[in-house]
Amino acid sequence: MRLSRCGISNSFISAGSSGTKNYPEKLTFRVFITCLVAAFGGLIFGYDLGISGGVTSMDPFLNKFFPEVYEKENNVKASDNQYCKFDSQTLFTSSLYLAALVASVLASTVTRVFGRRITMISGGVLFLAGAGLNAFAEHVWMLIVGRMLLGFGIGCANQSVPIYVSEVAPYKYRGALNMMFQLAITIGIFVANVLNYIFAKMENGEGWRYSLGFAGVPAIMIIIGAIFLPDSPSSLIERGLDEKAKNELIKIRGTTDIEEEFGDLVAARESSKAVKHPWTSLLNRQYRPQLTFAIAIPFFQQLTGMNVIVFYAPVLFKTIGFGATASLMFAMITGGCNAIATLVSIFTVDKFGRRTLFLEGGIQMFICQIVITIAIACKFGLDGNPRILPKWYAIVVVCGICMYVAGFAWSWGPLRWLVPSEIFPLEVRSAAQSINVSVNMIFTFAIAQIFTAMLCHMKFGLFIFFACFVIVMSTFIYKFLPETKGVPIEEMHVVWQTHPYWKKFVKPDDVRPISDEC
Ligand code: BGC
């Protein structure tokens, strides 16, 4: 064990090699509260994901801030190319993701130096400010600055909340708690869809203000929640507050039998001190699988095309030929499918495993994408001129989209957060997590930015484009992702060492990091 040469404690060495942990596993009330706060973090992200598409399909909003877009949409004749009528103005939706990308990188330092709570509170405050600015916006700059504040808030929350939860959660419940984060995202999206539907009907044309302003509610929830939360033991230890950490560990575990876990946390701090440059260490051969998945999983998740539905469902339904109210209603239905199907995943992931859900979800999404493509091709052909089709056409489109959303929601939706959180070893966890979140934000931004142009140029082939990626990502999972179900995090190295491909990179000697100073 190479670290022993560098004076790392025995408890740490045995932690990495024994695999038989004896940590307390009770789910106490204190831990349960942390789940709720995690859920608030997911809610602000989800609410924002869900609100922008609906708001940009509200005519009074478009007319006030983007009159040229409003003109273009409303002057489209039935004979014009329908694929291109929305090809403009996406900065409103996508500006947020660049801000979130910057914030998640900056927040990693705040999280480390000042603790997770401060980052959560800052996230809530920034998000609240953004919601206020958007709700009272009179000019486009107020909208964009407001969205950037929301983005900063999301970046802070996404950086700190998942870390906080995995630090305080008893290991037995880590999987379920992790998926609750995605569940909260989907609930946020759904609530946003419902509110858009309600507020779009307001006769004074100011409904968009309410849709945007309601973002303040989850922000206040996260601020209040985080104010009352204790700091996590790991964070306290990281900042040298060992006694306080010990007391906190006793409280959240509901027992005084915490010596083994406490020892491992202290040892983990020593280990992360020994690895001075986690970013460069991550490039070491032994971390090749983790680095690969840190990039590939969020990249592929965005290439499923799910955010086309999340952001643009109302626009898409309008393009396909539904009226404005019906489009918002169908967006709401797809939002409901997303949340319910995520629940299915929570209850099945530890039974059927990650690979099964990934592969089943992939096949389901692929079939639905083909159905949606055929339906859009029948309606608009290559020229984009709508044809009159019977009623069953609308039913096929809505069912196809709902089945597609469900396929995503019990596979790439929650597994995108769960799998990385299980496979990153402690010494490179924060660096790998930053890459993971950043790749997510970059591609969320890219899809939001170019979707309407893609629809205009690729026409009904848009969904074929995403379907091809679904084949690639499913093959990738089939060949390269080992099953991680039921494997303790500290034993995860075994799955790489026994994998036909990754065993070339991860050797039994690599179980513990080589300190930069050794
Ligand atoms: C993704 C989002 C997506 C959402 C849909 C999340 O895991 O990161 O980009 O909109 O799932 O439920």
Side-chain angles (χ1 to χ4, degrees):
M1 200 61 62
R2 280 178 254 182
L3 261 186
S4 59
R5 282 193 263 124
C6 302
I8 299 298
S9 80
N10 283 338
S11 94
F12 175 59
I13 293 167
S14 65
S17 52
S18 75
T20 44
K21 295 271 125 195
N22 200 17
Y23 294 168
E25 54 191 51
K26 219 162 68 185
L27 185 63
T28 59
F29 179 71
R30 266 183 118 82
V31 166
F32 180 70
I33 292 293
T34 69
C35 301
L36 276 185
V37 173
F40 301 161
L43 279 181
I44 62 171
F45 186 30
Y47 187 85
D48 198 86
L49 284 163
I51 211 73
S52 48
V55 166
T56 51
S57 77
M58 293 181 194
D59 284 348
F61 174 84
L62 282 182
N63 195 17
K64 183 171 174 69
F65 294 106
F66 305 98
E68 48 321 321
V69 178
Y70 177 75
E71 284 292 302
K72 189 175 170 193
E73 276 189 34
N74 284 283
N75 287 336
V76 173
K77 293 193 276 314
S79 58
D80 286 348
N81 185 342
Q82 302 288 310
Y83 293 122
C84 296
K85 72 172 181 177
F86 296 103
D87 184 14
S88 37
Q89 185 266 120
T90 46
L91 195 67
F92 172 74
T93 298
S94 52
S95 56
L96 179 145
Y97 298 97
L98 285 188
L101 167 68
V102 174
S104 60
V105 174
L106 298 180
S108 71
T109 311
V110 180
T111 306
R112 208 179 53 242
V113 179
F114 299 107
R116 287 63 170 134
R117 281 178 60 238
I118 298 295
T119 321
M120 283 185 222
I121 295 170
S122 319
V125 171
L126 288 164
F127 199 85
L128 187 60
L133 198 56
N134 272 349
F136 294 104
E138 288 299 336
H139 309 283
V140 174
W141 71 262
M142 291 174 84
L143 277 185
I144 303 295
V145 173
R147 292 238 1 118
M148 294 184 88
L149 286 170
L150 295 177
F152 288 132
I154 288 174
C156 290
N158 284 7
Q159 171 69 27
S160 51
V161 173
I163 293 178
Y164 183 80
V165 171
S166 53
E167 285 174 350
V168 298
Y171 75 102
K172 270 208 157 179
Y173 297 93
R174 197 174 282 141
L177 295 182
N178 193 293
M179 283 199 161
M180 288 218 6
F181 183 66
Q182 172 71 12
L183 180 65
I185 293 175
T186 61
I187 292 172
I189 296 173
F190 178 64
V191 170
N193 293 155
V194 174
L195 293 183
N196 270 340
Y197 180 70
I198 295 170
F199 295 138
K201 290 184 181 162
M202 283 178 71
E203 279 172 10
N204 61 4
E206 300 275 279
W208 59 270
R209 290 194 189 277
Y210 292 88
S211 289
L212 296 177
F214 255 77
V217 175
I220 292 171
M221 287 163 78
I222 191 171
I223 296 171
I224 296 178
I227 286 174
F228 288 104
L229 279 179
D231 246 325
S232 75
S234 307
S235 171
L236 292 167
I237 289 173
E238 199 172 25
R239 290 179 281 147
L241 304 167
D242 291 17
E243 264 319 295
K244 222 173 157 193
K246 199 176 229 176
N247 292 336
E248 193 46 53
L249 202 54
I250 291 173
K251 283 192 211 155
I252 59 171
R253 296 290 176 252
T255 169
T256 48
D257 183 19
I258 44 88
E259 285 308 324
E260 185 178 13
E261 187 172 1
F262 181 74
D264 285 350
L265 289 176
V266 172
R269 169 186 63 197
E270 300 308 316
S271 162
S272 42
K273 273 191 198 156
V275 176
K276 290 266 185 307
H277 307 289
W279 291 94
T280 42
S281 300
L282 196 51
L283 296 174
N284 289 349
R285 198 176 157 80
Q286 73 185 84
Y287 299 121
R288 202 55 49 82
Q290 287 87 353
L291 184 60
T292 305
F293 285 101
I295 296 170
I297 289 190
F299 166 75
F300 280 139
Q301 191 210 38
Q302 292 306 309
L303 268 292
T304 56
M306 175 63 178
N307 275 336
V308 165
I309 308 290
V310 172
F311 297 144
Y312 296 108
V315 167
L316 201 69
F317 284 122
K318 256 183 165 182
T319 308
I320 292 168
F322 295 106
T325 311
S327 298
L328 286 174
M329 193 181 77
F330 285 122
M332 205 168 75
I333 293 174
T334 54
C337 288
N338 193 9
I340 292 168
T342 306
L343 270 179
V344 172
S345 176
I346 291 179
F347 289 113
T348 54
V349 67
D350 288 317
K351 193 157 179 233
F352 300 121
R354 284 69 167 144
R355 278 170 60 85
T356 311
L357 288 184
F358 264 129
L359 296 175
E360 193 285 331
I363 294 169
Q364 187 170 326
M365 283 191 287
F366 178 78
I367 295 171
C368 295
Q369 281 162 329
I370 302 295
V371 171
I372 296 167
T373 302
I374 295 172
I376 298 180
C378 290
K379 174 88 182 173
F380 295 110
L382 263 181
D383 53 14
N385 290 332
R387 284 105 177 117
I388 311 282
L389 290 175
K391 257 221 164 100
W392 59 260
Y393 160 79
I395 298 171
V396 170
V397 175
V398 174
C399 290
I401 291 182
C402 284
M403 288 305 291
Y404 162 80
V405 167
F408 172 91
W410 54 57
S411 60
W412 284 87
L415 293 172
R416 170 263 169 281
W417 299 101
L418 175 61
V419 171
S421 84
E422 300 179 321
I423 63 171
F424 298 152
L426 179 70
E427 61 275 10
V428 290
R429 191 170 294 155
S430 66
Q433 179 65 6
S434 292
I435 293 177
N436 182 28
V437 173
S438 304
V439 173
N440 185 280
M441 292 302 166
I442 290 168
F443 285 95
T444 307
F445 168 79
I447 297 285
Q449 188 65 33
I450 62 174
F451 159 70
T452 51
M454 282 170 84
L455 179 63
C456 180
H457 291 102
M458 298 170 107
K459 305 179 169 58
F460 58 81
L462 176 70
F463 281 96
I464 293 288
F465 170 83
F466 290 119
C468 292
F469 271 101
V470 169
I471 296 180
V472 175
M473 67 187 81
S474 301
T475 313
F476 174 81
I477 293 293
Y478 180 74
K479 275 198 79 71
F480 295 110
L481 184 74
E483 181 55 66
T484 51
K485 173 187 88 173
V487 182
I489 289 178
E490 59 274 20
E491 289 297 302
M492 204 55 79
H493 55 92
V494 175
V495 303
W496 309 115
Q497 285 161 10
T498 50
H499 187 272
Y501 181 77
W502 297 117
K503 68 181 177 194
K504 283 188 274 183
F505 295 89
V506 186
K507 307 282 181 213
D509 266 4
D510 295 334
V511 173
R512 279 294 160 202
I514 308 166
S515 153
D516 296 343
E517 285 163 358
C518 288

